[in-house]
């Protein structure tokens, strides 16, 4: 199956009261683990690529070619979208050209009129090519790959302006942040989420910063219109932990334990287990 846009899968998720996971990828192991787990759980999936990760993997063309070939070679039949995460204006055009099936344009750091103008232009371009587009209002807090957000809570009226441009999915800050939440975090602002939902209507909403949000808050967010949830840091943490355990146990020194295919296997298995846990929590299993 070739890549699909994220529009239909998130619209279905909104109607069915579940959420599709966006799992950010960093390399071949990450991609393989996420794709195989989505297939195993019969779940649609979104592979997120930050600009930093795109650069790390040598460029968007490499990522696009790898993902398309891997879907084919692994016989993946569930819907897969390849999505630019927190894209700049230039990055969005590059990913469109490289064959991504979905883009996020994060214009949240621009004044709202400029965010609206740039988003509008990119909506037209993306839709001309059958590519889905996510926009953002009210910056997500914390830092992801050098993109630092102020953690503002989105203004529902501004959300409506951006939603009405025809974006397929809308990210709105509701107290969520990238990375691990600080101990004094006050939780998601469900009052704001409910207002946004009321203002924008049937538009699939995106919850960034999925790492560390308690399960009950995830479920409540889904019940209030969240249809896409992004997870990045949590997969990195379990990958690092599993790799550390392997090395600390001296397994890389036993036999051919230093072989990268062995060395990276526990981390890859840990990603698979985490992705499966999230898919079951989000309820997207058996929805492909
Ligand atoms: P976390 O790294 O906090 O899971 O956030 C992921 C994300 O929102 C990607 O855009």
């Amino acid at each position: 199956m070739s890549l699909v846009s994220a529009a239909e899968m998130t619209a279905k998720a909104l109607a069915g009261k579940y959420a599709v996971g966006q799992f950010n990828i960093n390399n071949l192991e990450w991609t393989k683990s996420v794709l195989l787990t989505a297939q195993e759980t019969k779940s649609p999936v979104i592979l997120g690529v930050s600009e930093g990760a795109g650069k790390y993997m040598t460029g968007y063309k490499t990522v696009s070619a790898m993902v398309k070939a891997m879907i084919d070679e692994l016989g993946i039949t569930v819907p897969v979208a390849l999505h630019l995460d927190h894209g700049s204006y230039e990055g969005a055009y590059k990913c469109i050209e490289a064959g991504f099936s979905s883009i996020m344009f994060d214009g949240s750091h621009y004044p709202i009129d400029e965010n609206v103008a740039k988003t509008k232009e990119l909506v037209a371009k993306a839709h001309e090519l059958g590519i889905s587009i996510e926009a953002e209002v009210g910056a997500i807090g914390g830092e992801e790959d050098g993109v630092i957000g102020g953690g503002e809570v989105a203004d529902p009226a501004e959300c409506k302006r951006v939603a009405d441009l025809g974006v397929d999915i809308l990210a709105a800050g509701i107290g969520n942040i990238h990375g691990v939440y600080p101990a004094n975090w006050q939780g998601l602002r469900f009052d704001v989420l409910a207002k946004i939902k009321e203002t924008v209507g049937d538009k699939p909403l995106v919850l960034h910063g999925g790492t560390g949000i308690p399960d009950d808050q995830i479920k409540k967010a889904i019940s209030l219109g969240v249809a896409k949830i992004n997870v990045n840091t949590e997969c990195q943490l379990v990958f690092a932990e599993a790799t550390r355990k392997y090395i600390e146990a001296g397994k890389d020194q036993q036999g051919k334990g230093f072989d990268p295919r062995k060395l990276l296997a526990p981390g890859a298995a840990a990603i698979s287990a985490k992705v499966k846990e999230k898919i079951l929590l989000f309820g997207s299993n058996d929805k492909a």
Side-chain angles (χ1 to χ4, degrees):
M1 184 158 179
S2 50
L3 290 174
V4 297
S5 118
E8 193 186 324
M9 61 171 86
T10 51
K12 274 191 190 162
L14 180 68
K17 293 234 179 270
Y18 60 94
V20 180
Q22 172 192 307
F23 301 100
N24 283 49
I25 56 169
N26 290 287
N27 59 17
L28 183 142
E29 281 73 18
W30 240 263
T31 312
K32 184 176 162 187
S33 294
V34 176
L35 286 178
L36 286 174
T37 308
Q39 183 70 23
E40 183 201 329
T41 53
K42 300 188 184 65
S43 169
V45 76
I46 299 168
L47 303 180
V49 180
S50 67
E51 295 209 336
K55 203 169 160 190
Y56 174 78
M57 289 185 271
T58 75
Y60 301 124
K61 284 189 212 154
T62 308
V63 179
S64 173
M66 174 181 74
V67 169
K68 286 176 190 168
M70 208 185 274
I71 288 172
D72 186 32
E73 301 271 20
L74 291 175
I76 303 294
T77 55
V78 297
V80 180
L82 178 60
H83 179 79
L84 171 65
D85 187 29
H86 291 285
S88 62
Y89 178 79
E90 297 76 20
Y93 274 104
K94 278 190 190 159
C95 286
I96 290 173
E97 203 184 305
F100 277 44
S101 64
S102 188
I103 52 167
M104 173 190 191
F105 168 60
D106 179 358
S108 62
H109 51 287
Y110 291 117
I112 185 69
D113 287 341
E114 198 174 346
N115 187 0
V116 165
K118 288 191 159 75
T119 301
K120 188 173 174 190
E121 181 193 314
L122 283 161
V123 166
K125 182 72 193 170
H127 286 175
E128 193 185 301
L129 299 164
I131 294 171
S132 50
I133 175 164
E134 172 180 344
E136 177 167 327
V137 181
I140 312 300
E143 189 259 342
E144 185 180 64
D145 259 347
V147 179
I148 299 167
E152 303 152 29
V153 167
D155 170 5
E158 290 186 357
C159 289
K160 169 118 181 94
R161 271 187 78 186
V162 174
D164 286 353
L165 299 172
V167 297
D168 302 286
I169 28 187
L170 182 71
I174 52 164
N176 41 336
I177 63 168
H178 290 127
V180 176
Y181 286 84
N184 63 354
W185 181 54
Q186 299 294 304
L188 295 174
R189 289 283 305 273
F190 292 114
D191 54 329
V192 178
L193 179 56
K195 272 204 199 98
I196 294 170
K197 166 81 185 145
E198 200 183 299
T199 327
V200 303
D202 272 346
K203 184 73 68 185
L205 299 172
V206 186
L207 184 61
H208 280 250
T211 294
I213 298 178
D215 292 4
D216 58 330
Q217 293 194 38
I218 292 279
K219 289 202 170 133
K220 187 157 180 195
I222 294 172
S223 77
L224 290 169
V226 163
K228 171 175 179 282
I229 302 178
N230 295 5
V231 178
N232 184 7
T233 307
E234 226 166 311
C235 289
Q236 301 186 6
L237 289 170
V238 294
F239 177 85
E241 188 191 2
T243 309
R244 186 172 60 243
K245 275 194 187 146
Y246 180 86
I247 293 174
E248 281 180 355
K251 291 188 181 163
D252 59 319
Q253 303 297 324
Q254 295 161 14
K256 284 250 176 134
F258 52 83
D259 178 333
R261 284 167 284 178
K262 293 201 168 84
L263 183 65
L264 298 176
I271 294 171
S272 297
K274 180 55 73 181
V275 169
K276 185 169 180 178
E277 176 195 316
K278 295 294 174 189
I279 285 175
L280 298 180
L281 173 65
F282 301 163
S284 67
N285 51 301
D286 300 312
K287 302 294 193 311

